[in-house]
Amino acid sequence: MRPAFSASKPSPSGREKGRRKGASAAEQLLTGQALPLRTRLHDALALGLTKSDGHGAKKWQSTDAGVQSHVLKSVGAFVGCLSNELLKLPPIKESISDILVALEGILKTENISVLIQAADVSSKFVSTLGNSVRQYSVLEMVSSLSCHLSANQLRIAVPCATALTCILNSLVTARASTQAEIWKALDKTNAVASVISALQNYTEDAYPLNYLMDMISLLRSILWIWPSSRYHVWSNHNLMAKLAHYCLSAETTVSTKVLKLYAALALCGIGAMVLLKNEELITKTSDLMGKSHPTVTRIEALRLCQVFLRSSRGCDQLMTAHCQPIVQGITNAMSEIDEKTLVREGCRTALLALRYSGNHHRCFWFNAIDEVLYKILSGSCNSSHHAHRTLCYGQLFNIDSKDIMNIYPYVWDILGYLAVHCDNEHLSIGKRQNSFLLGLISCACSLATDLPLKNSPVKLSKEEQEPALRAVLMMLLSPSQFIFSEASSKFLEAVLPLGNEYMNMLMSSLESNVTRNLTASFDCVKIMTNLMNIACLLIVQSNHSLNKRSAVDVLSSIIKECLHDHLYITRSNFASHLQFCFDGSSCCYLSEEWEGENIVFFYGLVVLFDLLKSDSFICFHCKRKLDVGIVCHGCRDYYTEGLVGVLKHALCQNMSPGPKSYIAHILSLFGLCGFPSKLGGNMRNVLCDNELVDLELLLADGESLSAHAAILSARCPKLLPSEKSFVRDGSETDEFGRRSCYHVRMSDRVDSHALKKILEYAYTGLVTVDDALVKPVKTLAKYCHLRSLHLMLQKEQPRWHSCPIYGLTTALEPAKHSFSDIILEAQSNDKMECHHGSCQLSTPHIHSHKIILSVSCDYLRALFQSGMHESFAEVIRVPVGWEALIILVQWFYSGELPRVAADCRWKTLSTEEKLSILKSYAELSSLADFWFLDGVKEESLEVLTSCLNSSTNASLEFIGFAANLGQWELVEAAISSVAHLYPKLRDSGRLEQLDEDVLNMLRTEYVRYSQHCSASN
């Protein structure tokens, strides 16, 4: 029977039921004390909180001290009952928004007693909210708080600083636009200046310690987020001295706070260098790492070192004078097995330090770094025998502690860097048994091949295995024969159960992944893992059944996809242990990983090099037998047009040192050795030119080769005459009786063709060596200490963290025999003292070399070859200032104009100082027109364009200067940087100094700018 019709409401939907259920839960949470306190709060807020126009945003209107005090008491009571669960409820969120509006208004009162109460409530309120405060609009709150940081009212300043610090700490990961708005508010209220003043004027007898601590914390929070605040600190010598005093003299809690501030300041590369110059500070930092200090202090000291170690320059500065105490502090922290956070920070610091080569590696070995790593893995201070057995038999992988497992990746990365920078001397330090190192090698090889995990409850992903596999590869690339041999043996032992076809299986997987449908995406992690495994196998297995031709084709496809950025992955994308590095914003750092960002590209090059370098004497393309080499002449053209052509083009691009080194080593297998450069290419023109020759290399068969001593002094000094072997030839002296030509007698074992190749490499940085000449050229390269060329001809791996850079700047260094034959004198009235030989010239000048100047300057080359009186002059007066002359000479000897980084140092320069630098490049641009300096105008324009936007005053002055020189491209660039300010500049009268033509250009550019803005809107 059908039920009777009912007029009742339909049953609620699932979503409606969910809403009711959520509302019911909220009502239950709001019962008890919270509900009446919220009611009381809203009654109090209603006394002063209104909508200014009747609708829209709320504003605080009441100026009555009694009302304000009543509201603050209600807020304080309400905040006291809040919990994490209540903070998630919509009604509570609405109340919090109203409280923020009320506090913003009340903090603007002039009533001191109310301000004290408001500051205390604000501090308590913001602290209760924690990171959830970033859900709300806090801009006005920041403005209100930052107005009350003066030391005149400590009871107001301290809680305001605490509240402001809490808000700013919650904004570390906020959007850039939000951070920009907050910084504008801080800048408007001079918050940084107020905090700096407070720290400079602090004295123990006048102010409480918590005032100092809160101000340090606030400044640290500002420095951490906003790079533009840092130069106000590191450029203030009085403040830096005060901070150093607090760190060196105060109690440990204050020192810890200062260390945190220093870590934020050192996020600026220039700030880091300023701190590193303070010897007492670095000594104190290493002391604070010691075991006698609290764990929290040791951690902050380690974190400061981590920021210093972000660049090779910082590492050199830190380790040069303080290596032993710093390294000991790091290894001591890593040895505190029961303090997992301390161990992790110690490992992070060691990882950053060991990325770079240097004597500090010796210090780490001296402090038994292998034993420290060994004990981290075993999780205790076991005996050598027991720990060795644990590591060998894989019991390690049954450890079920997530804290321990999170530290493992650091261990493998540290081990890899130790190995790749290690030589046999490091392993002979002290009475080493190397049993710990052997255990680490065994463990890494086992983990890398996944074998000990088959029967373990702990299953590691590819991302978790990658650090161990990478460590194995780096050990196989180690200069240490001991590490290489042990790693090879253990890795072969580990992969033996996988069979002879393991490498073919990996290559097939690689091929199927690379030749996927164009609409599919690459499995970058799998490609990377396969490449690393193949690289390891190729190094340890000289005989393999891999089809070289097919493998080369697959690798060529990978490399081409990487060069087009279709196949791209950075190591930090999947290696979570590397993501610890500094969530603060960095500035003024010029540092990059040797391997480059695209790690697949790097490993692809490593595999390709290892695949091609095997001495099989069989053409890998057509299988024809060869006497020498890797590819026959018939197949060489095929690869020259394809893979080799792609690599040659890539080698000329801006690229990280690691990939660049491997590309050069791959090309050397096809006979092309070296690194191309613009200056080196220009130097090729003087190889066969007898002009300005001042050196003869005399061979045993009577043949002689001409050279230029200045070039060889920078590129191959081994070929220069020694002090005792200078041969004077009276017929080859100039009118002043000075020697104009030196002779060097070569050994009768020197092959003339090989010597020509050595000279070509020395002059150009790039040389083609046919198979028949490889042996004699390799022998001579070793004698001449041309390490890079020798490694290429030896078919060896490039040394980690090395990449030769072509340059002749060492020829400028003062020496007894500098081979200088010309002086460049600046247009300047200043005086200088010259230490170059017997030089008596007092005006600013540089001792140079005609051959190097003439290579890059058609005007000077014609002058030196003209035979006119000027061609024999000792001094050339260059029509530029001293600063411009220094830049010009750097260009002559390096091939590039030095860049001006628009960093914190640039921002601190005065308008006059900025203008002086800008004028130097304008002078060079003008000189380039007359001296035919190829590329100088273009490079000067690039440098100036990057700097002009940062200073309106300097740009305005520069416009007139560049116009007077007739450098209209520079004028246009400067006008573009200030065109948007045209109305303001016109009304202020600051454009009166410009002539009418320039003013018309500025008006035209402003019209174009306005039209563009209108179109965009």
Side-chain angles (χ1 to χ4, degrees):
M1 185 176 179
R2 181 179 299 176
F5 174 78
S6 173
S8 62
K9 295 181 180 180
S11 60
S13 64
R15 181 177 298 181
E16 183 66 26
K17 288 180 179 179
R19 276 200 211 99
R20 291 184 181 181
K21 185 177 181 180
S24 176
E27 290 172 359
Q28 291 178 7
L29 285 172
L30 281 173
T31 56
Q33 186 181 10
L35 189 58
L37 287 175
R38 180 173 180 268
T39 303
R40 176 186 168 190
L41 170 68
H42 276 253
D43 290 341
L45 289 173
L47 299 175
L49 199 63
T50 61
K51 295 182 179 179
S52 56
D53 55 357
H55 61 277
K58 296 178 180 179
K59 292 288 182 181
W60 180 258
Q61 303 290 346
S62 177
T63 59
D64 183 86
V67 171
Q68 292 173 340
S69 179
H70 174 60
V71 169
L72 291 171
K73 291 177 182 178
S74 300
V75 171
F78 176 70
V79 169
C81 76
L82 293 180
S83 63
N84 290 333
E85 290 76 14
L86 284 172
L87 289 174
K88 299 175 184 178
L89 301 179
I92 299 297
K93 290 182 177 181
E94 183 182 351
S95 299
I96 290 172
S97 296
D98 290 344
I99 292 173
L100 282 169
V101 175
L103 290 175
E104 292 161 9
I106 296 173
L107 283 168
K108 295 175 182 177
T109 185
E110 296 181 0
N111 188 305
I112 299 300
S113 61
V114 173
L115 273 178
I116 293 173
Q117 187 182 3
D120 289 334
V121 170
S122 297
S123 176
K124 180 181 177 182
F125 173 63
V126 172
S127 299
T128 301
L129 294 183
N131 284 335
S132 65
V133 72
R134 61 185 168 197
Q135 301 175 21
Y136 306 93
S137 176
V138 294
L139 181 61
E140 293 299 326
M141 186 70 174
V142 168
S143 296
S144 298
L145 291 170
S146 59
C147 290
H148 298 294
L149 301 176
S150 171
N152 296 331
Q153 291 291 339
L154 291 181
R155 292 186 62 186
I156 300 172
V158 172
C160 282
T162 302
L164 193 54
T165 301
C166 186
I167 293 174
L168 298 185
N169 287 341
S170 72
L171 298 175
V172 170
T173 57
R175 291 180 298 181
S177 58
T178 300
Q179 292 183 350
E181 290 176 349
I182 297 296
W183 172 246
K184 189 174 181 181
L186 293 171
D187 192 37
K188 186 176 180 180
T189 56
N190 291 319
V192 175
S194 297
V195 177
I196 289 176
S197 175
L199 293 174
Q200 288 183 152
N201 298 323
Y202 174 82
T203 56
E204 295 180 4
D205 54 344
Y207 303 103
L209 184 62
N210 67 323
Y211 177 65
L212 173 66
M213 302 271 279
D214 285 334
M215 287 300 171
I216 291 175
S217 296
L218 176 56
L219 184 57
R220 182 264 177 195
S221 298
I222 294 173
L223 296 175
W224 190 258
I225 302 175
W226 291 283
S228 54
S229 65
R230 294 170 191 150
Y231 73 86
H232 294 291
V233 177
W234 60 253
S235 62
N236 187 323
H237 301 296
N238 185 19
L239 174 62
M240 293 297 288
K242 278 281 190 177
L243 290 173
H245 171 73
Y246 301 147
C247 185
L248 297 172
S249 306
E251 59 184 69
T252 303
T253 53
V254 178
S255 297
T256 304
K257 289 281 187 181
V258 176
L259 289 177
K260 293 186 71 173
L261 186 151
Y262 279 155
L265 182 62
L267 288 175
C268 169
I270 301 173
M273 290 299 111
V274 171
L275 292 172
L276 284 167
K277 290 177 183 177
N278 189 330
E279 295 288 331
E280 287 186 317
L281 171 62
I282 303 305
T283 301
K284 179 68 173 181
T285 302
S286 61
D287 174 66
L288 292 173
M289 292 183 187
K291 296 181 178 181
S292 61
H293 294 284
T295 298
V296 65
T297 302
R298 297 173 70 183
I299 288 174
E300 293 305 330
L302 288 166
R303 287 175 176 169
L304 175 58
C305 287
Q306 289 170 19
V307 188
F308 287 149
L309 293 167
R310 300 180 71 182
S311 67
S312 58
R313 186 183 173 194
C315 181
D316 291 341
Q317 190 82 14
L318 181 65
M319 293 298 183
T320 297
H322 306 274
C323 184
Q324 178 55 32
I326 292 292
V327 171
Q328 187 172 354
I330 294 171
T331 51
N332 284 343
M334 295 170 66
S335 302
E336 302 282 354
I337 302 298
D338 296 329
E339 294 279 356
K340 301 308 177 192
T341 302
L342 187 60
V343 172
R344 183 165 57 249
E345 295 302 328
C347 287
R348 289 171 170 175
T349 312
L351 186 156
L352 290 168
L354 292 168
R355 293 183 304 167
Y356 310 107
S357 59
N359 290 330
H360 59 287
H361 279 260
R362 181 183 179 88
C363 264
F364 273 100
W365 287 109
F366 181 81
N367 283 273
I369 183 64
D370 53 336
E371 181 178 354
V372 173
L373 296 175
Y374 195 91
K375 290 177 179 179
I376 290 175
L377 290 182
S378 62
S380 63
C381 299
N382 292 327
S383 67
S384 174
H385 175 74
H386 179 68
H388 181 70
R389 188 181 69 231
T390 300
L391 291 172
C392 287
Y393 288 97
Q395 297 173 13
L396 161 72
F397 306 109
N398 293 318
I399 298 176
D400 197 23
S401 170
K402 194 62 178 176
D403 289 335
I404 293 290
M405 297 297 287
N406 288 339
I407 297 176
Y408 284 174
Y410 297 112
V411 173
W412 303 130
D413 274 5
I414 292 170
L415 178 61
Y417 285 124
L418 284 168
V420 86
H421 292 301
C422 180
D423 56 36
N424 294 318
E425 180 187 350
H426 290 154
L427 299 182
S428 62
I429 297 173
K431 298 180 180 180
R432 296 183 53 82
Q433 299 299 319
N434 290 329
S435 58
F436 294 108
L437 179 58
L438 289 172
L440 289 169
I441 293 173
S442 175
C443 181
C445 291
S446 298
L447 177 58
T449 52
D450 200 23
L451 293 180
L453 305 180
K454 301 299 184 183
N455 300 316
S456 170
V458 180
K459 299 300 180 183
L460 300 183
S461 64
K462 294 292 183 184
E463 292 83 352
E464 292 170 311
Q465 274 185 272
E466 182 271 346
L469 182 55
R470 183 174 183 270
V472 172
L473 177 56
M474 295 173 82
M475 287 189 287
L476 295 175
L477 298 175
S478 174
S480 166
Q481 189 59 39
F482 175 82
I483 293 178
F484 169 76
S485 299
E486 290 298 326
S488 298
S489 173
K490 294 298 182 183
F491 187 73
L492 276 174
E493 181 182 322
V495 298
L496 189 63
L498 300 176
N500 295 328
E501 291 302 312
Y502 182 48
M503 193 185 302
N504 283 314
M505 181 185 71
L506 290 171
M507 185 58 71
S508 297
S509 173
L510 200 61
E511 183 175 10
S512 63
N513 204 317
V514 172
T515 57
R516 85 300 185 238
N517 188 291
L518 292 177
T519 59
S521 59
F522 291 111
D523 186 344
C524 293
V525 174
K526 186 174 183 180
I527 292 175
M528 178 204 66
T529 305
N530 286 346
L531 286 172
M532 293 171 72
N533 273 297
I534 294 171
C536 292
L537 290 167
L538 285 171
I539 293 172
V540 300
Q541 290 183 331
S542 55
N543 298 319
H544 54 79
S545 59
L546 206 60
N547 184 321
K548 269 193 175 183
R549 178 177 177 178
S550 175
V552 168
D553 289 341
V554 173
L555 293 169
S556 298
S557 298
I558 291 175
I559 290 169
K560 291 174 183 176
E561 293 285 359
C562 289
L563 287 171
H564 289 95
D565 289 335
H566 297 153
L567 180 53
Y568 187 95
I569 185 172
T570 63
R571 189 162 183 250
S572 58
N573 283 347
F574 62 88
S576 58
H577 69 289
L578 298 179
Q579 295 169 5
F580 72 92
C581 282
F582 327 111
D583 53 2
S585 301
S586 300
C587 62
C588 309
Y589 268 96
L590 295 174
S591 183
E592 62 178 351
E593 290 294 335
W594 187 78
E595 307 99 304
E597 288 193 354
N598 190 353
I599 205 69
V600 172
F601 181 50
F602 175 74
Y603 290 135
L605 293 170
V606 173
V607 173
L608 182 59
F609 174 74
D610 289 325
L611 182 66
L612 294 176
K613 75 168 188 174
S614 58
D615 292 317
S616 60
F617 301 116
I618 297 176
C619 175
F620 66 84
H621 185 72
C622 67
K623 305 297 184 183
R624 184 183 302 169
K625 289 187 177 181
L626 303 172
D627 294 327
V628 290
I630 63 171
V631 61
C632 66
H633 287 286
C635 299
R636 190 182 295 270
D637 291 341
Y638 171 81
Y639 282 97
T640 300
E641 295 174 1
L643 174 63
V644 173
V646 170
L647 293 179
K648 286 171 67 175
H649 177 74
L651 193 59
C652 298
Q653 310 303 311
N654 288 329
M655 191 177 293
S656 298
K660 198 162 194 172
S661 295
Y662 267 98
I663 290 176
H665 279 243
I666 292 169
L667 291 175
S668 71
L669 300 175
F670 293 89
L672 185 63
C673 301
F675 297 82
S677 67
K678 179 183 176 182
L679 182 58
N682 293 339
M683 284 293 170
R684 188 172 297 277
N685 298 327
V686 303
L687 264 175
C688 302
D689 191 349
N690 289 327
E691 289 290 335
L692 302 172
V693 164
D694 58 356
L695 182 65
E696 292 286 336
L697 303 176
L698 307 177
L699 295 162
D701 60 2
E703 185 181 359
S704 66
L705 298 177
S706 300
H708 303 86
I711 297 175
L712 294 185
S713 69
R715 296 286 298 159
C716 188
K718 191 70 175 177
L719 292 178
L720 290 175
S722 63
E723 292 290 328
K724 295 181 179 180
S725 63
F726 281 132
V727 178
R728 177 75 176 263
D729 187 339
S731 63
E732 294 183 304
T733 58
D734 59 25
E735 59 184 290
F736 299 101
R738 296 176 306 187
R739 186 188 299 110
S740 61
C741 192
Y742 303 106
H743 295 88
V744 177
R745 302 189 187 280
M746 308 301 295
S747 166
D748 57 1
R749 291 175 292 178
V750 174
D751 181 88
S752 62
H753 298 291
L755 183 57
K756 290 177 182 177
K757 292 296 181 182
I758 292 294
L759 286 175
E760 183 180 353
Y761 180 80
Y763 273 65
T764 68
L766 191 66
V767 62
T768 300
V769 182
D770 294 331
D771 297 333
L773 280 177
V774 167
K775 186 174 181 180
V777 174
K778 179 171 60 177
T779 302
L780 195 52
K782 183 177 181 180
Y783 168 79
C784 292
H785 299 163
L786 298 175
R787 186 181 183 189
S788 177
L789 179 60
H790 181 259
L791 285 176
M792 291 182 192
L793 297 174
Q794 193 79 3
K795 294 186 179 181
E796 290 188 26
Q797 305 275 353
R799 290 291 180 260
W800 202 273
H801 238 278
S802 66
C803 185
I805 299 175
Y806 187 93
L808 302 170
T809 52
T810 53
L812 292 167
E813 296 175 359
K816 187 175 182 179
H817 296 283
S818 69
F819 309 105
S820 171
D821 54 3
I822 192 69
I823 295 174
L824 299 180
E825 183 182 4
Q827 193 174 22
S828 173
N829 295 323
D830 295 335
K831 301 293 182 181
M832 71 170 283
E833 183 180 353
C834 182
H835 302 285
H836 195 286
S838 59
C839 178
Q840 301 296 319
L841 197 61
S842 61
T843 53
H845 64 277
I846 298 176
H847 289 260
S848 307
H849 309 86
K850 289 182 178 180
I851 184 61
I852 296 176
L853 301 180
S854 63
V855 163
S856 301
C857 180
D858 293 340
Y859 168 80
L860 292 178
R861 181 166 62 251
L863 176 66
F864 297 146
Q865 296 176 356
S866 67
M868 299 171 62
H869 176 73
E870 290 82 357
S871 65
F872 300 102
E874 290 184 303
V875 179
I876 294 178
R877 291 175 175 81
V878 187
V880 297
W882 175 233
E883 292 81 6
L885 181 61
I886 294 173
I887 298 171
L888 175 64
V889 171
Q890 285 183 296
W891 177 80
F892 274 127
Y893 284 75
S894 68
E896 294 181 351
L897 280 186
R899 294 304 193 250
V900 178
D903 55 17
C904 292
R905 189 184 299 278
W906 172 260
K907 295 173 184 176
T908 62
L909 297 179
S910 65
T911 298
E912 290 73 19
E913 290 171 322
K914 289 180 180 178
L915 186 59
S916 176
I917 295 172
L918 297 176
K919 284 181 176 180
S920 297
Y921 285 92
E923 288 179 302
L924 291 181
S925 181
S926 177
L927 183 68
D929 292 332
F930 298 97
W931 279 23
F932 306 106
L933 303 174
D934 183 35
V936 169
K937 280 187 76 73
E938 293 77 11
E939 291 186 52
S940 296
L941 180 60
E942 288 179 16
V943 173
L944 291 168
T945 302
S946 66
C947 297
L948 286 168
N949 291 326
S950 61
S951 175
T952 302
N953 293 333
S955 296
L956 282 176
E957 294 285 340
F958 179 76
I959 289 173
F961 181 80
N964 291 335
L965 291 177
Q967 299 302 301
W968 297 108
E969 289 184 357
L970 304 185
V971 172
E972 290 176 359
I975 284 176
S976 296
S977 69
V978 298
H980 62 290
L981 300 173
Y982 172 70
K984 182 178 179 180
L985 296 172
R986 177 197 59 205
D987 296 341
S988 66
R990 297 172 64 186
L991 301 180
E992 294 177 359
Q993 60 184 341
L994 302 178
D995 61 36
E996 193 61 32
D997 290 339
V998 175
L999 279 174
N1000 287 333
M1001 292 175 63
L1002 182 54
R1003 294 187 192 102
T1004 303
E1005 185 62 27
Y1006 174 69
V1007 170
R1008 186 180 297 113
Y1009 164 79
S1010 301
Q1011 292 173 342
H1012 176 74
C1013 291
S1014 299
S1016 300
N1017 294 332

